[in-house]
């Protein structure tokens, strides 16, 4: 009889702990989803950076054999845009080739807010 009561107490405690963890995880997941608004803004090009493509090799151990794994990294055409105090980088070859530092262009500012209304993410897009 004592064995059954002790086992029941352990099971109840385990259920409470699992429920608490899952409830906390549920809150974190719900807060991870953001509501976005979109704003048309005029941004200034404050920098440009080009990095050519390259390939790296890593090795994966398969038993006693090391197997090479090739990784291709594409070229990056980074354009740095600024609006008020916010700065963001866009990797876009067409934009990179069409603007110069100091140009002012139209962009879309996307701002993500959590359920509490706190700004958590912002980024630009251009057409």
């Amino acid at each position: 009889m004592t064995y059954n009561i002790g086992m029941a107490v352990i099971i109840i405690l385990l259920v409470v702990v699992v429920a608490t963890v899952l409830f906390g995880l549920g809150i974190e997941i719900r807060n991870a989803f953001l509501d976005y608004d979109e704003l048309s803004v005029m941004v200034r090009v404050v920098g440009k950076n080009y990095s050519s493509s390259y390939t790296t090799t890593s090795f994966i151990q398969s038993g006693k054999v090391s197997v090479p794994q090739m990784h291709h990294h594409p070229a990056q055409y980074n354009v740095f845009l600024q609006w008020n105090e916010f700065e963001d980088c866009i990797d876009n070859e067409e934009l990179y080739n069409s603007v110069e530092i100091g140009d002012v262009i139209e962009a879309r500012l996307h701002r993500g807010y959590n359920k509490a209304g706190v700004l958590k993410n912002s980024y630009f897009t251009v057409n």
Side-chain angles (χ1 to χ4, degrees), residues 49-64:
N49 180 14
Y50 168 74
S51 298
S52 62
S53 64
Y54 62 97
T55 303
T56 59
T57 305
S58 63
F59 292 91
I60 299 173
Q61 193 73 24
S62 179
K64 294 183 178 183

Side-chain angles (χ1 to χ4, degrees), residues 35 39 46 53 55 106 120 127:
D35 292 321
L39 184 63
V46 295
S53 64
T55 303
E106 184 176 357
K120 290 292 188 177
N127 295 334

Side-chain angles (χ1 to χ4, degrees), residues 36-46 79-92 95 105-111 121-127:
Y36 280 86
D37 67 1
E38 193 174 308
L39 184 63
S40 180
V41 295
M42 298 304 288
V43 297
R44 180 174 306 281
V45 177
V46 295
V79 179
F80 298 90
L81 305 175
Q82 184 178 30
W83 176 73
N84 291 345
E85 297 298 317
F86 177 65
E87 187 174 313
D88 192 22
C89 177
I90 295 178
D91 181 5
N92 182 314
L95 180 63
I105 61 172
E106 184 176 357
R108 306 290 295 170
L109 173 61
H110 304 265
R111 297 181 294 190
N121 186 28
S122 297
Y123 63 93
F124 291 122
T125 57
V126 294
N127 295 334

Side-chain angles (χ1 to χ4, degrees), residues 23-36 112-121:
F23 178 74
L25 184 60
I27 290 173
E28 288 301 315
I29 290 172
R30 188 175 68 239
N31 286 339
F33 292 102
L34 302 178
D35 292 321
Y36 280 86
Y113 297 90
N114 67 7
K115 299 298 178 197
V118 177
L119 180 63
K120 290 292 188 177
N121 186 28

Side-chain angles (χ1 to χ4, degrees), residues 14-26:
L14 184 59
V15 167
V16 168
V17 168
V18 169
T20 303
V21 168
L22 290 177
F23 178 74
L25 184 60

